[in-house]
Amino acid sequence: GAVVSQHPSWVICKSGTSVKIECRSLDFQATTMFWYRQFPKQSLMLMATSNEGSKATYEQGVEKDKFLINHASLTLSTLTVTSAHPEDSSFYICSAKIRDHHTLEQYFGPGTRLTVT
Amino acid sequence: RKEVEQDPGPFNVPEGATVAFNCTYSNSASQSFFWYRQDCRKEPKLLMSVYSSGNEDGRFTAQLNRASQYISLLIRDSKLSDSATYLCVVNKVNDMRFGAGTRLTVKP
């Protein structure tokens, strides 16, 4: 149980285009989903916390107009990287917490590797 | 100062060796603590939670010292398959902070 999927698993796009990444909880409802970014040999950095039906909360330094997050249902959150640039190339990972569950554990998706040329 | 600090390694050890990783955290209000394992180009996977009383899962032992804000992971009888990056994770509600990870390579 507690499986999180991401799509696509990898994407290459040209500079200036937008890319949408989907994060789905497959066998549970997730009130809260998280988006992380990881550059090579660095730790995961939280970008934003996404609650179903409300606006995402962004971490300091993360541009909300560039990284659009939509959490329209209890099983799906999307991250759109708008006007992508080479410096946005990174490994983007989502995670989800089980709705109404007391554990603080988060379940991670397999990640999406974005390369902007 | 980083919120969660780990020795980046790399640790290169022979099979069967015992290896220990340390981690310190700065936020005394942190509530829960974990060790995650991350293989190259993969997502992190939960290895074990860490409790003040210490906990053991097979060859893995985790310890937490809240007074010193220090977490440790001990791996005994290391296997080739233990090669990975080990992430120390500190959590408050909806606020999970990752260390940069300690890279372990176990060699035959």
Side-chain angles (χ1 to χ4, degrees), chain B residues 24-65:
Chain B
T24 57
Y25 62 96
S26 60
N27 190 338
S28 59
S30 300
Q31 296 173 301
S32 58
F33 310 87
F34 307 93
W35 283 101
Y36 276 74
R37 169 195 171 127
Q38 186 175 28
D39 292 292
C40 189
R41 295 178 173 265
K42 300 281 189 179
E43 78 277 20
K45 299 206 171 180
L46 179 65
L47 181 64
M48 58 197 306
S49 302
V50 189
Y51 305 112
S52 297
S53 55
N55 49 304
E56 186 174 313
D57 183 2
R59 299 180 292 108
F60 300 85
T61 301
Q63 292 277 354
L64 166 65
N65 184 321

Side-chain angles (χ1 to χ4, degrees), chain A residues 37-111:
Chain A
R37 180 166 54 180
Q38 185 177 33
F39 293 105
K41 299 188 179 181
Q42 295 186 25
S43 64
L44 276 74
M45 298 299 296
L46 179 65
M47 299 175 68
T49 302
S50 166
N51 291 297
E52 184 265 338
S54 63
K55 290 183 180 179
T57 302
Y58 289 81
E59 293 296 299
Q60 193 172 9
V62 178
E63 299 174 57
K64 61 180 181 182
D65 294 329
K66 179 170 180 63
F67 298 98
L68 302 178
I69 292 173
N70 183 284
H71 192 160
S73 78
L74 287 171
T75 59
L76 172 65
S77 176
T78 61
L79 167 68
T80 302
V81 183
T82 62
S83 187
H85 290 286
E87 58 265 30
D88 297 324
S89 298
S90 186
F91 191 45
Y92 291 86
I93 306 177
C94 73
S95 70
K97 288 179 61 179
I98 299 177
R99 183 187 186 192
D100 297 331
H101 217 253
H102 296 301
T103 180
L104 294 175
E105 184 178 350
Q106 296 179 20
Y107 298 91
F108 287 86

